RNA sequence: GCGGGUGUGGCGGAAUUGGCAGACGCGCCAGACUUAGGAUCUGGUGUUUUCUAACGUGCAGGUUCAAGUCCUGUCACCCGCACCA
């Protein structure tokens, strides 16, 4: 009989669906396992071969856990709000809701064709009002606790999407999505105070099992630095506050710099003698896009503010104040004390503007370059700090600042608040009413969801207003508080909103009264294993941790962290080693692969392709090896003998294979797990037959990787019930051990002979045996033995002179 | 510039605490079965070679009986951040 993968795969997919074997049970007495993959954005291009890499990996974990007796939740859904759908809708004149429905149907068909064991009864869709009702509800909780606020500020504006972007969405000064220019624009925006959770988001990384590079990237993004905040008196009367990580160098501060956007410029405008020159510089800086600003970062520019100066509190000296765009309004206080002797940027600026450079830590040569790596230096030219180490000076100056009420110790973060408004149609409406009398008024809970109005035209506007603003019947409403005429907020939420809590909804997806019941959350959370892309480390992963921590703080979820374990898969590249893309013409369509080789081969190949965490190029020839392997698995049926148990000569191999596959799966080493099964099959095949129990074990081990073919053979050979209801095979550590091993005999580290010995042989006997080898005898002739080494089960090394 | 990572056959990639480098697969070579082979099976396949060995994990040193693995230096590539005070 031929291996007809098409018929087999269809057959089992239907059976699994009908029998609902992969639906998570609501029996909370069972041991649970929550496996999660990032739910996809259903684009019009359909599934990418990269998607199944992640989904197959956790499908393997999920299927293995079920065989191990766990109640497994492995859900799937759609992160369906977002720009590409909207842009596609505009271009093709189809409503985004219809586009989304079509795309979801296509994705679902493709996912089903790969035989993933998702619990489809818990499918969710972020664009479903029953879902986004709760996204809006959580937003209102954030608003209620003061963590959502609206603020006029300079934001990243994508010139092509005509929309505001979060800092996390700007990559190298261009839009993450469309690679168009991003400029700064002043707009009133909804913001979420993620910075309030900076410390928790950072510290709690110590309590979760994430791969190290994810932790490192999040730590860097949060960017904690410890220093001091210092007040400088100015001749204008106001104190200029700065943040510095080097308060020890205060005596070396010879000038100050404020960001072009600093509010004091307006405040001091009547005092500033060269205000027109300053304004010209401000205008120039504002005109630059982020891209330009980083491109020309090398050359320092700036203007000295004439008419106002500051006083260095350490030595009472009057120092000038400059404005320059190398100081960012968004970090620290938007102002710095410049210490050109010990900071590279300040040094360059001082050189260009002829400002004094004072050495305050000895050891370098500040006339040539800034001396920054000076932890081991000694303080000089620093009054009461002279003679101290940098470390001591930091402590002492902070003490002194506090005593004199000039400043104090301060921790600063690079992380900034999350820009939460988007001026686009296809997103969750922000459930706020703007009333002239009452200000921002939350839409009452009973009126949620605030549904997106169905409209004809949803193109973005040139003015930067949301398309919703044009729909008067929707915008005009009454204030829930005072009943006066009022307007709805017309901005929508960013794509990341719906995905910030979806893992909670999976626990209880049909709940009409709550986003999820406490009981369900207590049972299922946290997610035991979450796999997803590295590209989401500072976006989705950080945002969702923030939302979850907020919900924890207000007592609505029961764990401080949403994900116990996080891993990340490498990309699947095109055959030429480049990233797959339409324009490069190297895209592999999963439908075609399934058509030609079947889902089982595709799954197996994606796991065999290489190190799971690293990128790997697709190969249209290599995949054939996986198909051949499955053909051989199928053909083994012809060698099946009516014999129970493992044959004595294969018992060790069976146990070792179970051990290897079981362990490798847990460590994401799918490629070597498959290699171990291939080796096993090679060995068994050579014997010309296979016993029932050998076959059963092999099918169980292979099932998570290739679920269809294994179920089919299981049924054809009457191994009893459905394979997915059986138990994961056990191994006996004792039986994994080999009795006889080949060991290597070396002379001075060079291999001279090999011999078979009993695994438990002692050192003296093995060395005696080794010396009997003719080759070794010859080598030892006329030589003096200096040292004899025996590594059990590996080698003997005889050192001679 | 800072942070993280990677360099192993023709290719994808394997190698517990240092212990036979190249598992497994692709490709290639030879043979078998065949009208046929882009099917299947069997064997071979790091390089050089005087057929005995020598060399071999980006490069140069070092530690060690023994180094892909540890140490020092160095080069290349990839990813993330980037004037973060």
């Amino acid at each position: 009989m031929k291996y007809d993968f098409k018929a087999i795969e269809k057959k089992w997919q239907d059976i699994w669906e009908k029998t609902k074997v992969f639906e998570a049970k609501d029996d909370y007495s069972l041991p649970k396992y929550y496996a999660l993959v990032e739910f996809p954005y259903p684009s019009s291009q359909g599934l990418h071969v990269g998607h199944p890499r992640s989904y197959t990996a956790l499908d393997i974990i999920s299927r293995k856990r079920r065989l191990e007796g766990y109640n497994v939740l492995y859900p799937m859904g759609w992160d369906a709000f977002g720009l590409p759908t909207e842009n596609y809708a505009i271009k093709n004149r189809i409503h985004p809701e219809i586009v989304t429905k079509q795309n979801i149907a296509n994705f679902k068909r493709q996912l089903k064709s790969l035989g993933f064991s998702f619990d489809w009864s818990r499918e969710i869709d972020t664009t479903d009002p029953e879902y986004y009702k709760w996204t809006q509800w959580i937003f209102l909780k954030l608003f209620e606790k003061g963590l959502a606020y609206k603020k006029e500020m300079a934001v990243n504006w994508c010139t092509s999407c005509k929309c505001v972007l979060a800092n996390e969405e700007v990559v190298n000064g261009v839009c993450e999505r469309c690679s168009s220019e991003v400029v700064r624009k002043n707009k009133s925006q909804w913001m979420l105070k993620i910075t309030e959770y900076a410390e928790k988001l950072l510290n709690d990384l110590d309590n979760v099992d994430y791969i190290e590079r994810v932790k490192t990237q999040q730590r860097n993004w949060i960017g904690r630095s410890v220093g001091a905040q210092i007040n400088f008196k100015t001749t204008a009367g106001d104190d200029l506050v700065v943040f510095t990580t080097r308060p020890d160098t205060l005596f070396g501060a010879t000038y100050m710099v404020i960001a072009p956007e600093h509010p004091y410029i307006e405040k001091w405008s009547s005092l500033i003698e060269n205000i027109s020159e300053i304004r010209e510089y401000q205008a120039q800086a504002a005109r630059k896009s982020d891209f330009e600003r980083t491109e020309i970062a090398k050359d320092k520019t700036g203007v000295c503010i004439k008419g106002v100066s500051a006083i260095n509190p350490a030595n009472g000296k009057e120092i000038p104040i400059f404005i320059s765009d190398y100081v960012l309004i968004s970090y620290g206080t938007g102002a710095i004390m410049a210490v050109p002797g010990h900071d590279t940027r300040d040094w360059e600026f001082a050189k260009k503007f002829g400002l004094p450079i004072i050495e305050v830590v000895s050891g370098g040569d500040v006339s040539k370059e800034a001396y920054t790596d000076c932890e081991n230096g000694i303080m000089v030219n620093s009054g009461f700090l002279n003679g101290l180490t940098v470390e001591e000076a930091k402590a002492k100056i902070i003490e002194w600042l506090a005593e004199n009420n000039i400043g104090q110790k301060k921790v600063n973060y690079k992380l900034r608040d999350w820009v939460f408004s988007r001026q686009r149609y296809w997103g969750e409406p922000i459930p706020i009413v703007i009333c002239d009398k009452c200000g921002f008024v939350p839409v009452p809970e009973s009126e949620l969801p605030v549904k997106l109005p169905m409209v004809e035209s949803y193109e973005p506007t040139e003015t930067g207003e949301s398309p919703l603003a044009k729909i008067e019947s929707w915008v005009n409403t009454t204030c829930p508080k005072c009943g006066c005429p009022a307007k709805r907020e017309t901005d929508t939420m960013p794509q990341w909103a719906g995905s910030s809590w979806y893992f909670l909804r999976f626990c209880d997806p049909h709940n009409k009264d709550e986003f999820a019941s406490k009981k369900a959350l207590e049972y299922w959370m946290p997610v035991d294993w979450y796999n997803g892309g590295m590209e989401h480390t500072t976006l989705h992963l950080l945002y969702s941790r923030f939302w979850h921590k907020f919900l924890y703080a207000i007592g609505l979820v029961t764990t401080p962290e949403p994900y116990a374990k996080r891993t990340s898969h490498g990309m699947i590249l095109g055959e030429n080693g480049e990233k797959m893309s339409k324009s490069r013409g190297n895209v592999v369509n999963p439908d075609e692969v399934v058509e030609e080789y079947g889902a089982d081969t595709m799954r197996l190949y994606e796991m065999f392709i290489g190190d799971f965490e690293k990128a790997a190029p697709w190969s249209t020839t290599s995949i054939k090896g996986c198909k051949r392997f499955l053909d051989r698995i199928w053909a083994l049926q012809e060698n099946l003998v009516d014999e129970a148990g493992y044959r004595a000569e294969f018992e060790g191999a069976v146990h070792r294979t179970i051990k290897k596959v079981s362990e490798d799966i847990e460590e994401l080493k799918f490629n070597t797990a498959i290699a171990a099964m291939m080796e096993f099959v090679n060995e068994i095949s050579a014997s010309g037959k296979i016993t029932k129990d050998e076959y059963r074990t092999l099918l169980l081990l292979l099932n998570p990787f290739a679920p269809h073919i294994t179920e089919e053979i299981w049924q054809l050979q009457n191994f009893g019930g459905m394979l997915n209801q059986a138990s994961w095979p056990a191994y006996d550590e004792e039986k994994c051990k080999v009795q006889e091993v080949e060991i290597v005999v070396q002379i001075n580290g060079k291999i001279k002979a090999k011999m078979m010995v009993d695994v438990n042989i002692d050192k003296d006997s093995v060395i005696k045996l080794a010396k009997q080898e003719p080759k070794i005898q010859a080598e030892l002739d006329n030589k003096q033995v200096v040292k004899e080494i025996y590594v059990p089960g590996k080698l003997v090394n005889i050192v001679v002179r």
Side-chain angles (χ1 to χ4, degrees), chain A residues 235-238 265-275 305-308:
Chain A
T235 56
D238 306 289
I265 307 238
E266 259 334 286
K267 202 170 176 197
W268 294 346
S269 59
S270 59
L271 298 171
I272 299 174
E273 291 158 19
N274 57 339
I275 188 72
I305 298 173
K306 295 200 177 111
V308 183

Side-chain angles (χ1 to χ4, degrees), chain A residues 50-267:
Chain A
H51 288 114
R53 195 179 195 189
S54 169
Y55 304 162
T56 306
L58 282 214
D59 194 45
I60 289 168
I61 301 292
S62 297
R63 286 174 179 274
K64 178 167 181 265
R65 287 287 180 279
R66 288 194 197 92
L67 295 175
E68 287 168 338
Y70 287 90
N71 182 21
V72 173
L73 173 55
Y74 187 38
M76 184 37 77
W78 317 103
D79 186 15
F81 272 131
L83 275 179
T85 298
E86 189 173 333
N87 291 339
Y88 180 91
I90 290 167
K91 204 173 152 196
N92 297 286
R93 306 195 161 276
I94 315 173
H95 195 277
E97 197 175 310
I98 298 165
V99 175
T100 299
K101 286 219 164 75
Q102 287 171 355
N103 290 348
I104 286 176
N106 187 40
F107 261 70
K108 199 167 172 179
R109 174 190 62 76
Q110 292 185 297
L111 291 180
K112 288 204 163 177
S113 80
L114 283 160
F116 297 122
S117 63
F118 295 129
D119 177 353
W120 286 106
S121 74
R122 293 178 185 242
E123 177 181 358
I124 57 176
D125 169 2
T126 56
T127 68
D128 179 351
E130 283 305 304
Y131 180 87
Y132 71 66
K133 170 183 176 177
W134 298 107
T135 312
Q136 292 175 333
W137 185 84
I138 296 170
F139 176 85
L140 289 180
K141 289 283 161 207
L142 286 158
F143 180 76
E144 192 183 298
K145 302 289 173 190
L147 292 171
Y149 62 98
K150 204 166 189 183
K151 188 185 171 193
E152 169 92 18
M153 62 175 304
V155 292
N156 306 301
W157 177 262
C158 173
T159 48
S160 162
C161 301
K162 300 195 174 64
C163 185
V164 163
L165 303 177
N167 296 313
E168 289 82 355
E169 291 171 302
V170 182
V171 176
N172 292 327
V174 300
C175 174
E176 181 211 30
R177 284 223 167 276
C178 66
S179 299
S180 306
E181 195 188 17
V182 173
V183 295
R184 231 180 309 280
K185 210 168 178 170
N186 264 314
K187 280 192 66 68
S188 179
Q189 298 295 315
W190 282 99
M191 308 284 294
L192 296 188
K193 253 190 215 168
I194 191 171
T195 50
E196 190 124 308
Y197 282 79
E199 201 176 338
K200 279 184 182 157
L201 287 167
L202 184 71
N203 293 343
D204 288 355
L205 285 172
D206 295 337
N207 307 326
V208 288
D209 177 19
Y210 290 8
I211 49 169
E212 209 47 46
R213 56 197 172 122
V214 168
K215 286 193 184 184
T216 315
Q217 247 184 62
Q218 287 212 348
R219 284 192 188 112
N220 289 348
W221 189 262
I222 295 167
R224 181 178 196 262
S225 39
V226 181
Q229 191 157 301
I230 305 175
N231 295 12
F232 281 66
K233 295 234 175 298
T234 66
T235 56
D238 306 289
D239 279 7
L240 198 49
V241 184
V242 303
F243 170 74
T244 177
T245 54
R246 295 297 307 276
D248 51 300
T249 62
L250 183 57
F251 282 87
T254 53
Y255 64 102
M256 299 188 78
V257 188
I258 63 175
E261 300 86 357
H262 201 283
Y264 275 11
I265 307 238
E266 259 334 286
K267 202 170 176 197

Side-chain angles (χ1 to χ4, degrees), chain A residues 29 176 180 224 249 272 317 345 377 430 442-443 449 471 488 518 523 548 570 596 629 679 721:
Chain A
S29 65
E176 181 211 30
S180 306
R224 181 178 196 262
T249 62
I272 299 174
K317 278 188 191 152
R345 294 151 305 176
I430 291 177
V443 171
I471 310 162
R488 287 188 189 280
K518 201 97 183 233
Y523 177 68
H548 194 268
E596 193 174 351
F629 176 62
E679 270 182 273

Side-chain angles (χ1 to χ4, degrees), chain A residues 438-483:
Chain A
C438 313
F440 297 116
V441 181
V443 171
E445 212 179 304
S446 59
E447 286 174 32
L448 295 181
V450 176
K451 285 196 192 170
L452 261 182
M454 278 298 272
V455 287
E456 292 295 312
S457 158
Y458 32 79
E459 274 85 351
T461 63
E462 288 303 322
T463 58
E465 250 192 334
S466 163
L468 292 176
K470 288 183 293 189
I471 310 162
E472 298 211 350
S473 61
W474 186 80
V475 172
N476 292 316
T477 183
T478 52
C479 171
K481 213 167 170 182
C482 69

